[in-house]
Amino acid sequence: MTVLGCMADDFTGATDLAGNLVATGRRTVITIGAPVDPLPETDAVVVALKTRTVPADDAVRAALDAHRALRERGCTRFWFKYCSTFDSTPRGNIGPVIDALLDATGAPWTIACPAFPANGRTVYQGHLFVGDRLLSESGMRHHPLTPMTDPDLVRVLGPQTRHPVGLLPHAVLRAGAAATRAHVERLTTVGGARILITDALDDADLAAVEQCARELPLVTGGSGLALALPPGAAPAAATIPTAPGPLAVLAGSVSETTTAQTAHARRLLPHRKVPVAEAVADPVATARSLAAWARPHLDTGTGVLVYSADRRDEVRDAQREFGAERVALALEETLAACARDLTAGGVRRLLVAGGETSGAVVSALGIRALTVGPAIAPGIPWTSADHRGGPLNLALKSGNFGPEDLFTTAEDHL
């Protein structure tokens, strides 16, 4: 019986969470959108949505549809997964979706725990850090769609929700379970809070948060909290069908992490940058040209890299010329069409960087479910899908995750 139903607001977040659930011994499957078929015998289902940057009403509707489908298929506890950098706008979508799921699940209150210490995401006194920098001083302050300029998560979430937001601080967590329960009781019963931002500096803090929230029908946060769950019974090292052939890397993200990864890969792999003006004019024709360039390299067994920019300011320049939404959509459509052309030509291994890009690629390929396999790095597992009569291996990477050599070492983990 599946008991844990998860809703992720983008596709890389879905594979991130699913990989951590597998690592704790939970049989886990990813569905693309709300499941419509009976679910296999699993411990957890992760629904991959594409709702991080859509209008808040659309995000709420998609989350409620997913929750309803998961509940009808036997899930009894629910998880709303968003990015460990709390990506959102002043209007949402994190707060509105949490509000809707509180109502749908009947949860008296819930946590908001984006921390993932293994990936350098920590929270102290309600302030989110990326590595040793406040969120507002990290590369996320320049995000083209969801710039994060305030590290105080209580202050960020407050305007997005109709409920009071409280803080479960580090000192209380370290004081033990009794002190934590008393603090939560004061915040929720006396103060009326229904969402508690949780501090977490390390795995011990995550364990304390998980214990505090264990009986809640709804939890929310990043994927780091999954590593604090009690061990399941399934093997932690999952195996998946693997496909032969070279790897094609499609990098749409222009985060600092991804641009460093593309810079490293350009020294070792044949590479081609997406011509933005051509992509805006005709993404399908641009993709066809990129795939034609890649094919001779792939035919000789050499991996390739197709990427959106050398530097973030290139994208900003293009946004000023063509408009931010138009550029984002053109890059997504181009890389998605490129993936479709490459797989039609026999490519069976893809690594996709960027949440929006990953969603566009998976949707373009018509994939409905993913099986989760071994981790490449924290938060980045390999997956397998049935595609064109055989396995297709996909790694969907959040823009901010992974070591510098990820694109050139990913295949070592298959």
Side-chain angles (χ1 to χ4, degrees):
M1 173 65 72
T2 299
V3 296
L4 183 60
C6 309
M7 296 143 282
D9 68 358
D10 75 354
F11 286 49
T12 58
T15 59
D16 172 15
L17 177 58
N20 284 355
L21 291 169
V22 167
T24 63
R26 285 168 172 77
R27 298 166 300 171
T28 304
V29 65
I30 300 171
T31 70
I32 310 305
V36 295
D37 300 319
L39 295 172
E41 189 72 14
T42 57
D43 303 304
V45 174
V46 182
V47 177
L49 301 174
K50 197 171 183 291
T51 58
R52 184 168 299 170
T53 58
V54 303
D57 288 346
D58 293 343
V60 167
R61 190 177 304 111
L64 289 177
D65 287 346
H67 168 262
R68 188 179 305 110
L70 291 168
R71 186 187 62 214
E72 290 172 352
R73 285 156 182 79
C75 294
T76 56
R77 193 174 187 228
F78 300 92
W79 188 316
F80 171 41
K81 194 277 177 193
Y82 40 81
C83 187
S84 60
T85 49
F86 217 71
D87 291 22
S88 56
T89 69
R91 293 179 298 277
N93 292 338
I94 293 174
V97 172
I98 293 178
D99 285 356
L101 292 174
L102 281 168
D103 292 343
T105 61
W109 58 275
T110 192
I111 58 169
C113 180
F116 193 168
N119 267 336
R121 311 299 192 263
T122 57
V123 182
Y124 182 69
Q125 293 300 312
H127 288 65
L128 180 56
F129 288 79
V130 177
D132 60 357
R133 291 183 290 175
L134 284 165
L135 176 66
S136 55
E137 298 172 5
S138 74
M140 285 303 300
R141 70 189 186 278
H142 299 307
H143 194 286
L145 299 176
T146 53
M148 299 303 295
T149 58
D150 187 349
D152 185 333
L153 300 189
V154 175
R155 192 162 56 210
V156 168
L157 189 57
Q160 298 183 25
T161 172
R162 64 180 185 272
H163 301 298
V165 179
L167 173 65
L168 183 53
H170 178 259
V172 171
L173 290 170
R174 289 300 173 93
T180 299
R181 285 193 299 271
H183 184 81
V184 169
E185 181 73 13
R186 285 193 298 274
L187 290 175
T188 58
T189 302
V190 180
R194 293 193 67 192
I195 307 172
L196 304 185
I197 299 290
T198 64
D199 279 0
L201 299 181
D202 55 26
D203 292 343
D205 290 339
L206 286 182
V209 171
E210 191 281 325
Q211 184 179 17
C212 162
R214 188 169 294 175
E215 301 305 319
L216 291 174
L218 171 69
V219 295
T220 86
S223 67
L225 187 64
L227 297 174
L229 292 169
T239 59
I240 56 172
T242 58
L247 173 69
V249 180
L250 305 175
S253 169
V254 290
S255 71
E256 290 179 356
T257 298
T258 300
T259 54
Q261 290 161 343
T262 57
H264 179 274
R266 290 199 305 273
R267 298 196 293 267
L268 300 169
L269 295 177
H271 52 275
R272 183 64 62 92
K273 182 163 58 176
V274 178
V276 176
E278 294 177 23
V280 168
D282 191 339
V284 173
T286 305
R288 191 177 302 121
S289 174
L290 291 167
W293 161 82
R295 196 161 292 116
H297 299 287
L298 294 165
D299 287 345
T300 61
T302 303
V304 297
L305 166 67
V306 178
Y307 67 105
S308 60
D310 295 303
R311 302 178 312 279
R312 179 170 283 178
D313 57 6
E314 293 177 353
V315 174
R316 286 199 292 268
D317 291 344
Q319 290 173 333
R320 282 192 287 269
E321 182 175 356
F322 300 109
E325 291 187 11
R326 191 178 179 193
V327 168
L329 183 61
L331 289 172
E332 286 178 34
E333 291 182 350
T334 299
L335 291 172
C338 188
R340 193 167 52 235
D341 289 347
L342 290 173
T343 55
V347 172
R348 311 304 294 174
R349 294 181 176 185
L350 293 174
L351 191 160
V352 188
E356 299 300 314
T357 308
S358 293
V361 166
V362 172
S363 298
L365 296 179
I367 292 168
R368 297 298 305 164
L370 295 166
T371 304
V372 183
I376 306 170
I380 312 171
W382 275 111
T383 69
S384 178
D386 290 327
H387 186 65
R388 295 181 176 269
L392 172 68
N393 293 128
L394 284 162
L396 308 179
K397 183 196 91 74
S398 167
N400 297 298
F401 280 9
E404 188 177 83
D405 63 353
L406 179 77
F407 297 165
T408 56
T409 61
E411 287 186 283
D412 298 343
H413 302 271
L414 261 181

